């Protein structure tokens, strides 16, 4: 059986639903808007997600938009995706979603706008400079075709 990690969580709002796995179908966990947010096209705002967490030592969270976020709200994650490491774990270290609006929109309290999962930190890597690589050449960027 896989080891279960315990994560201490602080909620900043009693209006958002507690965190849970996505409909039992995924190991990603939805995050919700904790304060109604109005954005005009071309505007960027940090949307509070209503949680702070103490991640286990040696882990970090990857925060990405849900697949429906752009279609539903017309916002992009301004950083493409976010990384929260285990040192961002203080009593006031609330998580946020940096949203860039491409159209006027309103995101309501409890709207699911992003998701996260935790991963172990990558192992320490040492780079070895060489003049040639030994694997087969794939033909360069963009050469895998369209199918």
């Amino acid at each position: 059986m896989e080891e279960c990690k315990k994560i201490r969580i602080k909620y900043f709002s009693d209006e958002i639903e507690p965190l849970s796995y996505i409909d039992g179908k995924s190991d990603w966990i939805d995050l919700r808007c904790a304060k109604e947010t109005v954005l005009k096209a071309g505007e960027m705002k940090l949307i509070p997600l209503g949680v702070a967490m103490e991640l286990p030592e040696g882990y970090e969270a990857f925060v990405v938009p849900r697949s429906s976020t752009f279609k539903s709200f017309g916002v992009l994650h301004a950083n493409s995706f976010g990384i929260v490491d285990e040192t961002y774990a203080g009593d006031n270290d609330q998580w946020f979603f940096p949203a860039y609006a491409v159209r006027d929109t309103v995101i309501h309290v409890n709207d699911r706008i992003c998701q996260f999962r935790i991963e172990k930190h990558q192992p320490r890597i040492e780079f070895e400079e060489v003049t040639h690589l030994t694997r087969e050449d794939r033909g360069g960027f963009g050469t895998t075709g369209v199918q």
Side-chain angles (χ1 to χ4, degrees):
M1 179 176 229
E2 193 173 331
E3 177 187 1
C4 180
K5 296 289 184 186
K6 187 165 287 211
I7 296 178
R8 293 171 41 98
I9 183 169
K10 175 184 176 180
Y11 289 95
F12 289 83
S13 169
D14 58 2
E15 293 183 62
I16 60 172
E17 292 182 27
L19 297 187
S20 63
Y21 286 101
I22 299 173
D23 299 329
K25 300 174 190 171
S26 172
D27 59 357
W28 288 81
I29 300 168
D30 281 335
L31 292 163
R32 298 170 181 272
C33 176
K35 179 183 176 191
E36 184 161 311
T37 305
V38 177
L39 293 112
K40 299 291 183 194
E43 187 175 22
M44 195 287 275
K45 285 188 179 176
L46 294 174
I47 300 174
L49 299 172
V51 296
M53 294 181 226
E54 290 180 359
L55 298 177
E57 187 71 31
Y59 283 79
E60 57 197 0
F62 296 167
V63 181
V64 300
R66 296 181 76 241
S67 60
S68 61
T69 297
F70 183 77
K71 175 181 64 95
S72 298
F73 304 108
V75 297
L76 300 167
H77 191 296
N79 294 346
S80 299
F81 77 97
I83 299 174
V84 180
D85 68 36
E86 77 271 21
T87 66
Y88 190 71
D91 206 38
N92 293 303
D93 289 338
Q94 181 173 193
W95 292 17
F96 288 85
F97 180 84
Y100 177 79
V102 298
R103 60 174 165 85
D104 293 356
T105 191
V106 178
I107 302 172
H108 301 285
V109 172
N110 239 350
D111 282 345
R112 296 177 299 162
I113 57 172
C114 56
Q115 58 193 333
F116 82 99
R117 69 179 304 146
I118 67 168
E119 295 285 338
K120 286 185 178 181
H121 290 266
Q122 81 173 14
R124 184 159 172 78
I125 296 171
E126 181 180 314
F127 293 98
E128 176 187 357
E129 187 174 344
V130 298
T131 56
H132 298 287
L133 299 175
T134 59
R135 297 206 180 140
E136 184 179 338
D137 193 334
R138 288 184 38 189
F141 183 81
T143 59
T144 57
V146 292
Q147 296 180 352

